[in-house]
Amino acid sequence: ILANPNYRDLDHWIFLEIECAIKNGYGLILAKPRQVGLSELGVVNVNYTLTFNYLAEAAIAAGKDDKVQEFKQKLYSSLNNTHPAYRNFMETNNDKLMEMFYYDTINKQKIPSGVNTKARFKTMFADSGAFEGINNNKISIFEEAGLFENIAMSFKATEPSFRSGAIQYGLPMVYGTGGEIDKGAKGYKEMWDKSDAYNLKQIFIPAYFYYPGDGIPDEKSGKTISFFNYEKGVTDREAAKKYILRERKIAEGSKDTYIKHIQSYPLIPEEVFLKTKGGVLDLKKLNFQLKEINEGNMPEPVLKGTLEWVDNLKTTALLQRAKNTKERTKIRIANDSTVK
């Protein structure tokens, strides 16, 4: 990481945001398109913490174990590729812990010496309080937030490890892409919408901000699709946005493909959190209507209420076996229940 990687203005922007967050005592919640290298950016920050901050600690959490281990492997590779002049000895390396120190012999006793930093890795699917009582005094990463089903609870349970009263001394970073709003991304969206309650600043990265293209020549024209200038480190954002909208138009033929394309390459924050599965309604129309409501584009004030169903005896009996509102709604629609 201390060589000279290609410059990207996206990295420059996010590093400035991180610097401001640390100085002013708040965290970051990021919503992004796929494949912009945000995990690598998190890895670099944890590497810096472990390499240059004496006695510092870091925490990496996710809702799925494969995401935690994937981050750990990237961090291990990054640490091993740090310039030898700055590389620290790694005494401990297992699924749950990395420790950077070495033993020095003083008066025939082995004493831990060196930078004495550590990174902890936890899967919080079953235990949202896995980091309670632990001091993560530098950085806490909440990886792949869209797949982290209990992320809001896990964040609040972890908060005392980087915050004492009104003083926040560590940097929490929550990032990922949207998933199913009913499941994995529900807490992620709640934290995004109520970011002030979590002392987090919203950072949205639109798909056109960094859009390099695949660089593969088209079979017919021979032209390559690439909007990123590697010499300047910036994307031609206007051209990239036009291309994304054109690809989105092509994808309209398939409802599932269209929704997935929007979610993978969002142009506004609401598109990250699109509903992708479930229900009997047209998802394309539903997501459009949700976007209009969220952006305040409705001709009349939005009113909230509760449906009052009129069920027959057969439906009432079937409802006794329903586990949740979704199942009850399906039963009522299938059995011609009406609404008052």
Side-chain angles (χ1 to χ4, degrees):
I1 65 167
L2 297 177
N4 292 299
N6 290 326
Y7 171 81
R8 287 194 314 176
D9 63 342
L10 170 60
D11 298 321
H12 193 158
W13 170 32
I14 301 301
F15 275 117
L16 289 176
E17 291 287 357
I18 289 172
E19 182 180 11
C20 288
I22 292 172
K23 286 182 178 179
N24 295 288
Y26 58 83
L28 301 176
I29 182 167
L30 301 100
K32 68 177 187 66
R34 301 186 186 280
Q35 302 299 318
V36 295
L38 210 57
S39 289
E40 282 73 13
L41 189 143
V43 164
V44 167
N45 278 278
V46 174
N47 183 328
Y48 184 88
T49 297
L50 299 181
T51 301
F52 294 107
N53 292 275
Y54 179 62
L55 296 178
E57 298 187 14
I60 296 87
K64 295 188 176 182
D65 187 62
D66 61 328
K67 298 301 179 184
V68 173
Q69 296 307 318
E70 183 180 330
F71 188 99
K72 181 178 177 296
Q73 289 301 319
K74 291 178 180 178
L75 177 59
Y76 181 80
S77 176
S78 177
L79 289 166
N80 280 338
N81 283 285
T82 300
H83 192 284
Y86 303 104
R87 194 180 305 158
N88 294 301
F89 184 77
M90 188 183 300
E91 175 64 29
T92 306
N93 179 25
N94 56 49
D95 289 347
K96 297 181 178 180
L97 182 66
M98 276 184 181
E99 291 184 298
M100 314 297 289
F101 71 94
Y102 61 90
Y103 284 107
D104 197 6
T105 302
I106 301 176
N107 296 327
K108 299 182 179 180
Q109 292 186 338
K110 288 187 175 181
I111 307 296
S113 300
V115 71
N116 277 297
T117 54
K118 63 182 65 175
R120 294 184 174 91
F121 306 87
K122 296 283 187 181
T123 303
M124 291 187 166
F125 179 79
D127 182 11
S128 59
F131 284 131
E132 286 184 312
I134 294 174
N135 179 31
N136 308 318
N137 62 336
K138 275 296 179 180
I139 185 168
S140 299
I141 302 286
F142 294 84
E143 173 78 355
E144 289 296 344
L147 302 175
F148 204 143
E149 291 195 23
N150 59 342
I151 187 169
M153 188 183 300
S154 297
F155 184 92
K156 279 300 182 182
T158 305
E159 192 174 49
S161 69
F162 55 77
R163 184 182 180 93
S164 179
I167 301 174
Q168 183 163 302
Y169 49 82
L171 171 70
M173 291 181 65
V174 180
Y175 56 80
T177 55
E180 295 181 58
I181 297 303
D182 291 332
K183 296 181 181 178
K186 186 175 181 180
Y188 179 31
K189 187 176 188 304
E190 176 190 327
M191 292 180 69
W192 176 267
D193 291 340
K194 301 176 181 177
S195 57
D196 288 345
Y198 294 88
N199 194 33
L200 298 170
K201 179 182 178 180
Q202 295 178 349
I203 304 292
F204 171 64
I205 304 171
Y208 55 79
F209 198 94
Y210 170 68
Y211 196 83
D214 55 20
I216 301 174
D218 182 83
E219 292 182 1
K220 295 181 180 180
S221 65
K223 295 182 179 180
T224 59
I225 300 172
S226 183
F227 304 102
F228 185 70
N229 186 321
Y230 285 89
E231 293 183 359
K232 297 181 178 179
V234 298
T235 295
D236 184 340
R237 296 186 181 109
E238 184 176 347
K241 186 175 182 179
K242 289 180 180 178
Y243 178 81
I244 292 168
L245 289 171
R246 188 164 62 248
E247 291 291 293
R248 186 177 290 187
K249 188 72 176 177
I250 294 171
E252 283 185 349
S254 168
K255 179 178 67 176
D256 292 339
T257 302
Y258 177 72
I259 297 297
K260 197 64 178 178
H261 187 277
I262 293 177
Q263 190 187 58
S264 297
Y265 304 103
L267 303 179
I268 58 176
E270 289 76 14
E271 292 177 348
V272 173
F273 305 102
L274 289 180
K275 186 176 177 66
T276 59
K277 294 181 181 179
V280 295
L281 301 176
D282 186 319
L283 291 179
K284 183 177 175 183
K285 293 180 180 178
L286 177 61
N287 282 314
F288 174 78
Q289 193 70 0
L290 286 172
K291 183 172 78 68
E292 293 294 290
I293 292 172
N294 289 331
E295 293 179 352
N297 295 330
M298 304 302 291
E300 299 291 338
V302 177
L303 301 176
K304 296 182 179 180
T306 303
L307 291 177
E308 292 188 14
W309 292 91
V310 178
D311 306 314
N312 57 37
L313 292 176
K314 177 185 175 183
T315 303
T316 302
L318 291 172
L319 289 172
Q320 302 303 315
R321 294 180 290 178
K323 297 178 181 178
N324 50 47
T325 302
K326 187 175 181 179
E327 289 188 8
R328 286 190 288 272
T329 302
K330 286 184 175 180
I331 291 171
R332 282 168 165 147
I333 291 174
N335 291 276
D336 300 322
S337 291
T338 59
V339 177
K340 288 184 179 180

